[in-house]
Amino acid sequence: MSRLGRNYLQTGYYIEEYFPQKKVRYIAINDSFDTESSVEDDFAPFKNIINEWYAKDISKKIKSTFLVKRENGEMVSGFPLYGYKYINGITKRVISEEEANVVRLIFDLYINGKSCLEISRYLSEHKIYTPRYSFYKKYNWFKNYFSDRLETYKYKWNPEFVRNIIKNEEYTGKVILNKKEKKSYKSKIKTKTPESMLIVGTSPAIISLETYTKANQIFQRNKSLKQPLKNDFLRGLLFCPFCKKRMSFCKKIIKNRDGTIKKQEYMAYICRKSGCHQRAIKQSSINEIIIQELNVIRDIILKNQGKFLTLIENKDFEMNALDHTIHKINLAKLKSLEQDSKSMDQKIECLISGRADGTIPISTYHSLLNKYSLEKENIDDQIQNLKRRVQSETMNCKIDSSNYYKKILDIFKKYDGQSLLEKNHCGKFILKIYPYVEKKYFSEEKVTRNYIKQIQIDYININTFIKESL
């Protein structure tokens, strides 16, 4: 039975509920267990608990072994840090000179004024292998990643690679271990630990501490100089109509072929997904079209105020994306907890019947009964709290319906299209904007520009009203 699982709640669910429902017969020969035999089923839950205890004990022993290795400066991870390598029989880092020279070059270029983006382009142009391709070449890792795009990606450096190297203190000879840990042996999710284990002098240094400190001082200074772009009135609302990814707001500079600036910079929205053929959109162009659209919608709503309120108040209020996701998560948790509660009831019944048959000693019976009862009580408390939360979410959604539409109506009464845009009110009633762009030749100016052919706006809860009113 230990081969089926070592989580006694999940194993019990499959043996006692899932397999019988699906008409599956499960036989464990070594444990003399058969789901079709009702006589031998009584002791199965206790075998599952013992199997779980065994897994827990193994987990403690492995953790203690890793802890001793960390304290001695030995590596317990499968991936060596870029710039180092592992040698058979040696569990400590050894410098890989070819990669270490690249690390030193990155620090030198950054200290001399190059940005992370410029460094990544420099490394790609000089055909220096990326860290991922170096691991693939030496250890045959990332087979699937390079299976059909080897020539494309082996020299393609990302600014994030460069940034991570500059920020990594381990290149000074320090070893930082236990950065992440699992909260439970049952979980596969790792979380950051509040305090990492720092070991000095157990690894050879690629760069000096002075170089690392200088580079990171520049990094922090550049980070503080970066200011958010102003006048991004459509922040988070513009989406690419082809790949459906959110478009980014940035500065664009038109340059000649020799690199000199042809025109002054201007603000634009672009799609950053690789391979997407969506064209850049000037901020002034999209703002002008959005203002026209807002004025049209404003006129429609103000002319049909009574219809706007009566038509929509009769409908159920739709949750926004975040509230809807949280509501679905709570419902799934509630269903899972109810299944756990039923499983605990079956365990208690099985325990009582086992005690009545005399197969379970009285000391074991009392200890397990107390444990099951506490778990059952805890699960029931969680169920009650979740039920109240789900009911409250549903009620709040209905209560907010009329208030929401009255606020939207007040906003349209108070502001025109341009004020709605500039005062960042668009996010209150617009969900997504999809601009369709194509190149167009303007004969008067004899230039080719990106032209917004069509625009699609998805509104929050008022799409139906607008379609009926147009």
Side-chain angles (χ1 to χ4, degrees):
M1 291 174 65
S2 62
R3 299 303 91 200
L4 178 62
R6 294 190 182 275
N7 185 321
Y8 78 97
L9 287 175
Q10 292 182 357
T11 307
Y13 164 72
Y14 277 101
I15 290 175
E16 298 180 13
E17 291 187 27
Y18 187 81
F19 289 158
Q21 288 174 3
K22 302 296 181 181
K23 297 180 180 180
V24 175
R25 183 180 181 183
Y26 175 72
I27 302 172
I29 297 173
N30 291 337
D31 293 312
S32 301
F33 177 80
D34 188 347
T35 51
E36 290 190 0
S37 174
S38 60
V39 179
E40 297 175 349
D41 287 353
D42 296 338
F43 201 66
F46 307 106
K47 290 182 179 179
N48 293 332
I49 291 174
I50 292 169
N51 291 333
E52 184 172 326
W53 285 342
Y54 178 76
K56 190 175 183 180
D57 183 57
I58 292 293
S59 175
K60 286 181 180 179
K61 290 177 180 177
I62 292 173
K63 280 185 177 180
S64 62
T65 304
F66 282 166
L67 182 62
V68 172
K69 286 186 176 182
R70 290 190 186 107
E71 290 174 349
N72 294 332
E74 298 179 10
M75 299 296 104
V76 295
S77 60
F79 287 84
L81 184 65
Y82 181 73
Y84 294 94
K85 60 183 178 181
Y86 296 157
I87 299 177
N88 293 334
I90 299 177
T91 56
K92 295 189 178 182
R93 289 173 179 166
V94 179
I95 291 178
S96 174
E97 285 300 331
E98 183 182 355
E99 296 173 0
N101 290 332
V102 177
V103 174
R104 296 186 188 105
L105 175 63
I106 289 171
F107 274 90
D108 289 341
L109 291 173
Y110 193 74
I111 290 172
N112 290 326
K114 295 283 187 182
S115 67
C116 293
L117 179 60
E118 290 172 336
I119 294 172
S120 64
R121 288 175 178 170
Y122 176 87
L123 297 173
S124 298
E125 290 170 1
H126 287 75
K127 296 189 180 300
I128 296 174
Y129 293 147
T130 62
R132 187 168 287 185
Y133 181 73
S134 298
F135 293 145
Y136 169 77
K137 185 181 176 184
K138 289 193 294 186
Y139 308 107
N140 205 23
W141 293 338
F142 304 111
K143 289 182 182 178
N144 296 333
Y145 183 81
F146 289 106
S147 59
D148 55 347
R149 45 187 176 179
L150 182 62
E151 295 300 323
T152 308
Y153 283 89
K154 67 178 180 180
Y155 302 122
K156 191 173 182 179
W157 279 79
N158 192 301
E160 191 67 24
F161 294 163
V162 178
R163 196 175 296 114
N164 289 339
I165 289 173
I166 293 169
K167 291 166 61 178
N168 199 330
E169 193 178 359
E170 296 189 46
Y171 287 112
T172 61
K174 299 177 182 178
V175 177
I176 303 173
L177 301 171
N178 200 32
K179 297 176 186 177
K180 294 183 179 181
E181 66 177 2
K182 294 179 182 177
K183 293 295 183 183
S184 169
Y185 69 97
K186 295 181 182 180
S187 173
K188 294 183 179 180
I189 300 173
K190 291 184 177 181
T191 56
K192 289 185 178 180
T193 54
E195 294 183 3
S196 301
M197 186 182 294
L198 177 62
I199 302 170
V200 183
T202 57
S203 177
I206 292 178
I207 59 166
S208 64
L209 182 60
E210 182 182 355
T211 304
Y212 170 81
T213 305
K214 189 174 181 180
N216 277 268
Q217 285 175 351
I218 297 171
F219 182 83
Q220 292 298 328
R221 185 190 65 198
N222 293 343
K223 188 177 178 181
S224 62
L225 290 175
K226 288 182 180 179
Q227 298 294 332
L229 297 174
K230 295 181 180 180
N231 301 328
D232 183 8
F233 304 125
L234 300 174
R235 183 179 180 86
L237 298 178
L238 271 181
F239 287 79
C240 174
F242 303 107
C243 65
K244 308 303 180 185
K245 298 292 183 182
R246 185 177 278 111
M247 298 183 72
S248 302
F249 189 55
C250 65
K251 292 181 181 179
K252 293 281 287 185
I253 301 174
I254 300 177
K255 294 183 179 181
N256 296 314
R257 291 184 178 180
D258 58 357
T260 58
I261 296 176
K262 183 178 180 181
K263 291 185 179 180
Q264 291 184 347
E265 64 183 21
Y266 64 93
M267 310 308 293
Y269 292 93
I270 61 171
C271 180
R272 295 188 182 275
K273 185 177 180 182
S274 176
C276 183
H277 55 280
Q278 171 71 325
R279 302 183 182 277
I281 306 171
K282 264 187 154 183
Q283 183 197 24
S284 56
S285 302
I286 189 71
N287 284 356
E288 184 180 347
I289 293 175
I290 293 295
I291 289 171
Q292 293 175 2
E293 184 74 16
L294 289 176
N295 284 326
V296 172
I297 299 302
R298 179 175 180 269
D299 292 341
I300 291 172
I301 291 177
L302 293 181
K303 286 179 183 177
N304 302 278
Q305 295 182 33
K307 183 182 176 183
F308 177 75
L309 292 175
T310 55
L311 176 67
I312 300 180
E313 283 182 359
N314 294 331
K315 298 183 180 181
D316 291 334
F317 183 74
E318 299 174 11
M319 292 184 181
N320 60 47
L322 178 61
D323 292 339
H324 183 63
T325 303
I326 294 172
H327 189 67
K328 285 179 67 176
I329 291 171
N330 288 335
L331 288 174
K333 283 182 181 177
L334 183 61
K335 186 176 180 181
S336 177
L337 286 171
E338 287 174 346
Q339 290 178 351
D340 291 344
S341 179
K342 289 180 181 178
S343 179
M344 292 307 302
D345 287 335
Q346 292 176 357
K347 298 294 185 294
I348 293 172
E349 289 177 6
C350 181
L351 183 65
I352 294 171
S353 61
R355 177 58 193 151
D357 296 340
T359 55
I360 301 174
I362 189 168
S363 58
T364 307
Y365 169 77
H366 285 300
S367 62
L368 291 175
L369 183 62
N370 289 333
K371 181 181 177 181
Y372 287 162
S373 299
L374 288 172
E375 289 185 11
K376 178 72 167 58
E377 185 178 350
N378 184 31
I379 291 171
D380 289 342
D381 289 340
Q382 293 182 43
I383 289 173
Q384 293 301 322
N385 291 333
L386 262 180
K387 281 183 177 179
R388 284 193 291 269
R389 194 181 306 169
V390 169
Q391 187 177 6
S392 174
E393 289 168 355
T394 308
M395 291 299 296
N396 289 338
C397 183
K398 293 179 180 178
I399 292 169
D400 288 345
S401 175
S402 59
N403 294 333
Y404 171 79
Y405 294 113
K406 287 176 182 177
K407 287 179 181 178
I408 295 299
L409 184 59
D410 291 339
I411 289 172
F412 278 109
K413 286 180 180 178
K414 191 174 181 180
Y415 303 107
D416 60 0
Q418 186 170 353
S419 300
L420 286 169
L421 181 68
E422 292 178 353
K423 293 184 179 296
N424 294 320
H425 288 301
C426 292
K428 296 178 181 178
F429 53 88
I430 293 178
L431 183 63
K432 292 180 180 179
I433 301 172
Y434 295 102
Y436 293 84
V437 183
E438 64 178 18
K439 273 196 171 184
K440 184 178 179 181
Y441 179 73
F442 292 85
S443 57
E444 296 178 359
E445 302 176 29
K446 296 182 179 181
V447 293
T448 303
R449 292 177 183 168
N450 291 339
Y451 168 74
I452 300 176
K453 180 182 177 182
Q454 181 186 355
I455 193 167
Q456 176 189 337
I457 301 178
D458 290 345
Y459 295 94
I460 302 174
N461 300 306
I462 59 175
N463 270 331
T464 307
F465 170 77
I466 291 171
K467 287 178 182 178
E468 292 174 356
S469 302
L470 285 173

